[in-house]
Amino acid sequence: MFSNRERAAFSDGTVKREGQVYKHSTLKYPHRLNFYDRPPLEDVTIEEFETCAIDRLRILAEIESSFVRNRSFEELKTVTNAQCLKYLPLHSSTATSEDLEGERRKDHLGHFILRLAFCRSEELRRRFVKAEITLFRVRYESDDTKEREEFLSSRDFDWIAVDKDEKEKFRRELLAASPNLKAELFEKEKFYKVKWTRVPDLVEKRRVFLKGGWAYVPSREQSSIIFQAFQSSLERALEATARALPRLDEDTRIMPILNNLSQGFLAGVPSEWSGNDGSSANGEAIKAEMIDDLARKHFPLCMKNLHDNLRRDRHMKHYGRLQYGLFLKVLGLSIEEAIAFWRKSFSKITEDKFNKEYRYNVRHSYGLEGKRANYAAKSCQQILMNDQPGPGDSHGCPYRHFSEDNLQSALLAAYSHQGLTSSDLPEIMHAVKSQHYHVACTRVFEITHAGSGVGTVKKGEGVGGGESVTHPNQYAARSRELEKAKIESLGGNDDVPMKGEEGGGDAMVLG
Amino acid sequence: MSTEEVEGVTPEVMLAFYRRLYPFKSIVNWINHEHTPTKLFTHREFALTLERDVYLRYQCFETVEEFKKKVCSLNPTRFEIGPVYSVKPKDKKSARQQAFTPLQRELVFDIDMTDYDTVRTCCKEAGICKRCWAFIAAAVRVLDSSIRDQFGYKHLLWVYSGRRGIHLWISDKEAMELTDEQRKAIVGWIAVIQGGKDMHKKVNVRQGTKPLPPSLQMALEPLVPCFGDLILADQDCFKSDDGWEDLLHLIPDKNIAEILRRKWNKDDGRSSEDKWDDLKSEIKKTDKGSPTRVSLQAAMEDIILQYTYPRIDAEVSKHRNHLLKAPFCVHPKTGRVCVPVDPQLIDDFDPEKVPTVGQLLKELDKVVTTQDMEGAEHHSDWEKTSLKPHVDMLDRHAMALMDQVRRSKRAADLSW
């Protein structure tokens, strides 16, 4: 099923060098790490095909959602390792009790199947590469040092070790390029020369010394070369696969699986709710089980983020509950439904604990306890300025409180299904960089409600009359209004398929 | 300050310019790297700006003759050169969207005088004079040597943008093939001046007070004398209250800043040179090798960079599919031709001496009447005008590129 062309794409640029260590092993997978140069050439049952893919997809989805959730790399590593252990364990070569060949074969198969599913659009390829390279990085960092050395010497990264004379010649420059390298450790530090184009990340941050097109990479930054090599070979391979894919179109067994896989990934974070889907989103009163669907279609990024966090952690810290709870109250969630919603969401804790610690809290925000104040939902201004989120908090305004990378991932994961693409990002990021967070949010609203006819929004219209977003509830209310108008213009037919229903189905692949 | 609007650049003038003066052949040699047209030319996007701001994108040509014919028939006010696409740009609509991607493109840089408005005192906005050209000259020197030294590129063409800036086109094979990610990396490597107008300190390139990265240390050397001549003496940047207040914002030691503020408030007559000396003598009073002294010395280096280091328009360089005005176009406002500039002689370059299209046509009128060449095709009439040295420069540049391509082709042949 994999074309020769794809294999050819790998073979260029890997001219064997002298001194490279060849491992003549009878093992098919001598290393835990895999650069996936060669496609698997064997028969696979359709069941195995699907399992391998879905199990790997669970891990990649977890990685994506880590970006979305603004997790640090350390947190991401912990979460990913846990997920890997569950669905796709990969033990080191010293672990004799495990089925190493089986584990590695599954890793190998899963990777190549997902390549097929994700090679089809630039957007999918970009996201797949980002998730895969992160997975590779997590595994690389947790690999046994000795085994990693063996893996590295098993392939040619085409770097040139900088000899003593050259190192001495550029001593001053090399030290200045690595401010954290102590002068007394200089003699011990090894440097490798590669063409600068192979380490653009290090060049961009001026973390190497450059001379005549060569980057002098200290051994502590060596992993950059490896990750970049992994990334560029995967990018090339995906493009080759995309070109070869049309020949697969006729296979009626595989295409539906592949379609499902990529859609599941696109749908973003899998929903853990198996509640009744399909309830009408048009009624005024909101029920707890409608919130998943509403979040998908109508919430601004701050609330989507809180919702996804809640679904994932099945818990939420105080300021997050406050920001999200009041928003839901104003959205139209009654106190009974609110209790039901929070109770069900906090599924890790006992009934007793919930009643003692959280029920009061929810009732309080509805003005039924304590000083019985009628609290208003927080405005953008308040969210931006008050109660800055600390580590572990998920409240705040993503446009302001997320790092650039995470914000971009979050936007794509949250709104791709509503038409936002990576080509929209520069404009949004521009607004963010100039600290016009409400402009960015308004632009996202316009993009996700673009189209023609009733119930759509043109650029510049904002949330009505050219107004920009100043309140999360204003965002959600306007979005629902537009949807209602759209449905009514179609004859008020309740049978109009809702995006949420399709999405729900897709997410099941993951869930 | 001088931005005399030159006599009208009318469509008739432009047409005569394209017919008789524009060096189409030299331009094609330069972007094609070979004599016979390759994809570097035939798959290249040209974008033409017509009268009334009609913008015609995705034009491409098979031969020099077709290129010239089309330009003469559409008579654009100017045109731009874009990337080499996987498919001929004019077939964009019929190609599958995924199959239409930019493959190659010169690595380009754009330096514009407007980015220096906060530091220059002689002109504003569109204005440019010989004095503020010194900023551009400093930028050219630094960029030219950095790119050659650090990235090893050899085929650099500097082109005056016709009014108040300069473009750099790099045609080395590796540079042509850079991905957007790599272009972004090179911009990150080069760009130093960052932060908007609410950010006083725009140079943040070191860890704490550690030494500058080696590339910037190298750039700093020629900028130190430049700072003295240009910023202190010529532009007198710290003369005005706003000017020296900006300087004080960049001094990390609050006490020293306060001492200087009091001193300068009292004495209105102190020149920028005096003020810089004041700062230096305050720094000399601190203990040698003390952290305060080290941080102040670092701050002084950063100040020199902030005032003199090249300010590039980063967005232009980051994407393969960015369009940039072709050399030898005429700037519609000034009438000046966008001529190539020798970086070795950048200090002597005077933007006000660049030939205008009107002047060139007048020169040509004289020649033609004396020689009486009626009816003949004027393919290289530029030879008889003051455009000649500039076209010669492009020809020499293109020749070196073609030599390089020929040599590497021969080397490839030998390997068999």
Side-chain angles (χ1 to χ4, degrees), chain A residues 276-321:
Chain A
N276 21 341
D277 282 313
S279 52
S280 161
N282 298 320
E284 282 308 314
I286 290 173
K287 300 228 172 297
E289 48 298 354
M290 288 157 59
I291 293 175
D292 276 298
D293 190 47
L294 286 170
R296 242 176 73 76
K297 291 193 288 188
H298 301 301
F299 286 8
L301 193 58
C302 53
M303 297 304 167
K304 261 192 189 185
N305 177 50
L306 283 167
H307 185 77
D308 292 346
N309 270 288
L310 178 63
R311 282 284 169 268
R312 202 215 119 55
D313 302 329
R314 285 177 265 160
H315 187 263
M316 179 172 283
K317 289 193 161 188
H318 174 73
Y319 281 113
R321 289 202 308 271

Side-chain angles (χ1 to χ4, degrees), chain A residues 48-99:
Chain A
E48 195 180 8
F49 185 90
E50 198 166 358
T51 334
C52 284
I54 290 178
D55 282 348
R56 192 182 195 83
L57 192 57
R58 287 178 207 275
I59 290 160
L60 298 188
E62 190 63 49
I63 289 173
E64 265 231 324
S65 78
S66 290
F67 290 135
V68 175
R69 281 162 220 292
N70 215 18
R71 286 196 185 115
S72 70
F73 186 69
E74 284 310 308
E75 285 173 284
L76 177 145
K77 223 159 90 180
T78 318
V79 173
T80 310
N81 278 327
Q83 194 83 344
C84 281
L85 205 61
K86 219 152 115 198
Y87 295 110
L88 186 54
L90 211 50
H91 287 90
S92 73
S93 303
T94 47
T96 46
S97 58
E98 307 291 337
D99 174 18

Side-chain angles (χ1 to χ4, degrees), chain A residues 120-122 125 172-173 176-177 179-180 195-197 200 203-204 206 208-214 228 231, chain B residues 98 149-153 174 178 181-182 184-186 188-192 205 207 210 212-217:
Chain A
R120 277 173 297 171
S121 77
E122 204 176 323
R125 288 200 290 269
R172 196 171 62 94
E173 288 87 350
N180 293 325
K195 288 302 282 180
W196 80 266
T197 46
V203 170
E204 187 168 1
R206 294 198 196 93
V208 282
F209 168 57
L210 273 191
K211 185 86 184 167
W214 294 94
Q228 285 288 338
Q231 180 177 342
Chain B
Q98 289 183 2
D149 172 78
Q150 288 137 35
F151 294 92
Y153 296 142
E174 183 190 279
L178 293 177
E181 189 194 7
Q182 289 160 340
K184 188 166 149 274
I186 206 168
W189 174 271
I190 288 171
V192 164
V205 288
Q207 284 192 10
K210 295 248 169 75
L212 285 170
S215 60
L216 298 179
Q217 190 65 46

